[in-house]
Amino acid sequence: MKIIQLTDPHLVQPGQMLNGTDPLARLGIVLDDISRHHGDAGLLVITGDLTDDGLDQAYRALDERLRKLGLPYRLLLGNHDQRTTFGAIFPQVPRDEAGFVQSVLDTREARLIFLDTLDDGKVGGRLCATRLAWLEQRLTEAQGRPVLLFMHHPPFEIGLPALDHCLLAADDALSLATLVRGHGDVRQIFAGHVHRPAHGLWNGVPVTMLPGTNHQMPLDLHDASVGPVDEPPAYGVILLDADNLIIHLRILAPPAMAPAHG
Ligand SMILES: [Fe+2]
């Protein structure tokens, strides 16, 4: 199975700029590339921060682009999203019984679990008791089957002070680790939020984070005050079979990123 992951498009009012670039235009370039090369993908996952400030028009623009792309998709929420507005524009995206945008997708190769780490109004992420209980049930059902987890906030610090203060809450990460260990075959965590390509190992589980489609955070290991920079966006091409998983990073180099004006 081929899965495409992209993250953090931060859409704003169509036509407006964010951090010096046009989020909708940049998302369009990424989606065009996906359409050109990976129209055979079985799933597109966007791991949160779909919009920059939860605007209705921004979600509508995303809906329009995804309809045009025509791939099956799952959308996650990030700290910049607005749960109610999102739900109004995307009523078909599955939620759990409590209304969190959490769901599973069972494929031939694995159970995919999509988590909701949005803590309304906060930059950091949470997996509250309700969400953790839901996850525990989904993992129990999948005993003996491989699991892949998708979530916006990474569950551990990545060595960048500008980001390490606003990841998944430490207590919730501990609870998540217990659930992951209890299942025993969680093979990969896919996250967003950090606007950088980064790969690591957490409690024995590989974790991959990707650049956003609009703007990136600099690789600064010391300064907590750094802000967004214009580095190339990328998306992930995940190839999955019963035994193996590989993630290719498709980097869209600057020449391909020329603004699509005129
Ligand atoms: Fe973001």
Side-chain angles (χ1 to χ4, degrees), residues 8 10 48-49 79-80 152 192-195 215:
D8 292 78
H10 282 254
D49 282 358
N79 47 290
H80 281 262
H152 181 70
H193 190 55
V194 302
H195 293 248
H215 54 272

Side-chain angles (χ1 to χ4, degrees), residues 159-228:
L160 300 184
L163 291 158
D164 280 347
H165 64 95
C166 61
L167 304 179
L168 183 68
D171 286 353
D172 299 348
L174 273 178
S175 302
L176 177 63
T178 301
L179 296 182
V180 163
R181 264 190 243 107
H183 179 272
D185 197 9
V186 175
R187 294 189 178 180
Q188 180 77 42
I189 294 174
F190 300 91
H193 190 55
V194 302
H195 293 248
R196 285 216 63 77
H199 312 278
L201 195 68
W202 174 75
N203 287 283
V205 180
V207 182
T208 292
M209 293 149 269
L210 296 183
T213 59
N214 187 62
H215 54 272
Q216 316 309 335
M217 287 294 282
L219 180 59
D220 192 312
L221 302 174
H222 305 289
D223 188 352
S225 67
V226 292

Side-chain angles (χ1 to χ4, degrees), residues 49-119:
D49 282 358
L50 308 170
T51 66
D52 192 59
D53 47 13
L55 266 190
D56 176 275
Q57 298 96 317
Y59 287 116
R60 287 189 194 285
L62 178 62
D63 181 42
E64 186 186 307
R65 292 302 174 112
L66 292 174
R67 284 173 195 270
K68 192 174 149 204
L69 181 68
L71 289 179
Y73 62 80
R74 292 285 167 117
L75 305 177
L76 278 60
L77 298 183
N79 47 290
H80 281 262
D81 286 305
Q82 216 289 335
R83 195 176 271 110
T84 306
T85 311
F86 168 81
I89 313 290
F90 291 98
Q92 75 280 16
V93 171
R95 294 169 169 238
D96 67 15
E97 310 80 44
F100 292 110
V101 184
Q102 306 200 120
S103 63
V104 301
L105 180 65
D106 286 314
T107 73
R108 205 176 44 194
E109 299 86 358
R111 166 166 275 203
L112 315 185
I113 301 182
F114 309 94
L115 296 174
D116 179 341
T117 59
L118 168 58
D119 185 18

